[in-house]
Amino acid sequence: MQDHPDASPVPADQASKPPLRVLIVDDEAPARTRLRDLLGDLAASHPTRISGMAANGVEALRLLEAEAADLVLADIRMPTMDGVELARHLARLPRPPAVIFVTAYDQYAVQAFELAAVDYLLKPVRAERLAAALGKVPQPRIPDAALAGLAPGERRHFSVSERGRILLLAVADVLYLRAELKYVTARTVEREYVLDESLVHLEEEFPQRFLRLHRNCLVARDAVQGVERVGEQDGVDAHWAVLIRDLGERLPVSRRQWPAVRQALGL
């Protein structure tokens, strides 16, 4: 890259700051290289250091376990985990990095990004636009509702914080979700995971995947092996329960929810 002799001097406030640690996430290698080179061109006015480059959101989260970043430049459309789902996971970190989306979307999508207060770069990325976006860092945490508006489809993973790490739990592996105090427990065949999310929000996000059994429990529809009537015992009235495949567990169904459960299961 050539130096520009007419480049403006480094502002005093920029010179006193350490370089931003930037993680570049794009499934196309040329796009990653272009962003890296543009950041190098802007180093005089916006000092940065590349903390890593990843081809999708899953790779990005793994890299962040090894080294934190101040800024993530994330493509929207990527295999395995796209940029929007990645941003939703990042937002749950104790110190979430700023996120700038890189996109080839048309003008209508760009307006949606602006309304959601999420910065964006249109491909092909131009140095002036990148410099303007860097000038907005650090950015506030992106509201999860705004991210849901950009990608109204279901997530493919839940974020689980364990021992300072972010674990990715595949939504398809969850057999049921149960509210316990201020957390939600997600049960898989192997074990339980604690989610920092509300049961109501999960029910709204996954209406076709999870079915409410009672006020504290959602079950994955494809995890239901059958139902049975549990008779009166120890003073407890008879009620219906669903049988969970691979676990042999029974989850009670409330009287209020039973008509909806029966209809959903085609009984």
Side-chain angles (χ1 to χ4, degrees), residues 182-217:
K182 59 182 294 188
Y183 300 104
V184 170
T185 298
R187 185 68 163 95
T188 68
V189 173
E190 294 81 15
R191 52 169 288 199
E192 293 183 344
Y193 298 86
V194 176
L195 308 180
D196 187 14
E197 304 195 45
S198 75
L199 208 62
V200 171
H201 172 78
L202 294 172
E203 182 181 23
E204 292 174 349
E205 184 178 356
F206 301 96
Q208 302 305 316
R209 181 176 295 274
F210 293 106
L211 177 65
R212 183 171 288 275
L213 298 183
H214 53 79
R215 65 186 182 89
N216 291 332
C217 186

Side-chain angles (χ1 to χ4, degrees), residues 14-218:
Q14 292 287 356
S16 62
K17 291 181 180 179
L20 285 174
R21 298 166 296 177
V22 181
L23 174 61
I24 299 173
V25 191
D26 197 302
D27 61 318
E28 297 181 353
R32 296 195 298 269
T33 300
R34 176 172 174 78
L35 286 174
R36 182 195 63 193
D37 292 345
L38 286 174
L39 289 171
D41 289 345
L42 297 170
S45 58
H46 296 84
T48 57
R49 178 174 66 81
I50 304 300
S51 63
M53 297 199 293
N56 57 61
V58 172
E59 288 185 13
L61 290 172
R62 293 292 173 256
L63 288 176
L64 287 171
E65 290 180 359
E67 181 177 358
D70 304 303
L71 169 65
V72 175
L73 295 174
D75 188 17
I76 291 288
R77 293 182 176 175
M78 295 181 291
T80 310
M81 180 187 291
D82 62 29
V84 173
E85 182 171 351
L86 168 62
R88 297 178 76 168
H89 291 300
L90 296 177
R92 299 186 181 281
L93 293 174
R95 298 184 63 183
V99 176
I100 296 176
F101 287 125
V102 181
T103 176
Y105 281 8
D106 61 21
Q107 186 63 32
Y108 294 102
V110 168
Q111 292 173 357
F113 295 154
E114 290 174 336
L115 291 174
V118 179
D119 208 348
Y120 65 92
L121 298 171
L122 284 176
K123 294 181 178 180
V125 177
R126 300 185 182 278
E128 311 84 63
R129 185 65 184 89
L130 177 56
L134 292 174
K136 299 178 182 180
V137 178
Q139 298 179 53
R141 167 176 169 162
I142 302 172
D144 198 61
L147 292 169
L150 296 179
E154 296 179 353
R155 283 175 286 169
R156 288 180 287 180
H157 301 84
F158 292 126
S159 294
V160 181
S161 298
E162 286 190 358
R163 296 182 292 277
R165 299 179 58 200
I166 293 291
L167 303 181
L168 295 179
L169 170 60
V171 175
D173 291 342
V174 176
L175 302 177
Y176 63 82
L177 299 158
R178 185 152 51 195
E180 299 178 357
L181 299 176
K182 59 182 294 188
Y183 300 104
V184 170
T185 298
R187 185 68 163 95
T188 68
V189 173
E190 294 81 15
R191 52 169 288 199
E192 293 183 344
Y193 298 86
V194 176
L195 308 180
D196 187 14
E197 304 195 45
S198 75
L199 208 62
V200 171
H201 172 78
L202 294 172
E203 182 181 23
E204 292 174 349
E205 184 178 356
F206 301 96
Q208 302 305 316
R209 181 176 295 274
F210 293 106
L211 177 65
R212 183 171 288 275
L213 298 183
H214 53 79
R215 65 186 182 89
N216 291 332
C217 186
L218 303 176

Side-chain angles (χ1 to χ4, degrees), residues 219-237:
V219 67
R221 295 169 188 256
D222 61 4
V224 177
Q225 187 175 19
V227 299
E228 71 174 23
R229 183 77 167 172
V230 181
E232 183 176 349
Q233 185 177 4
D234 297 330
V236 178
D237 293 337

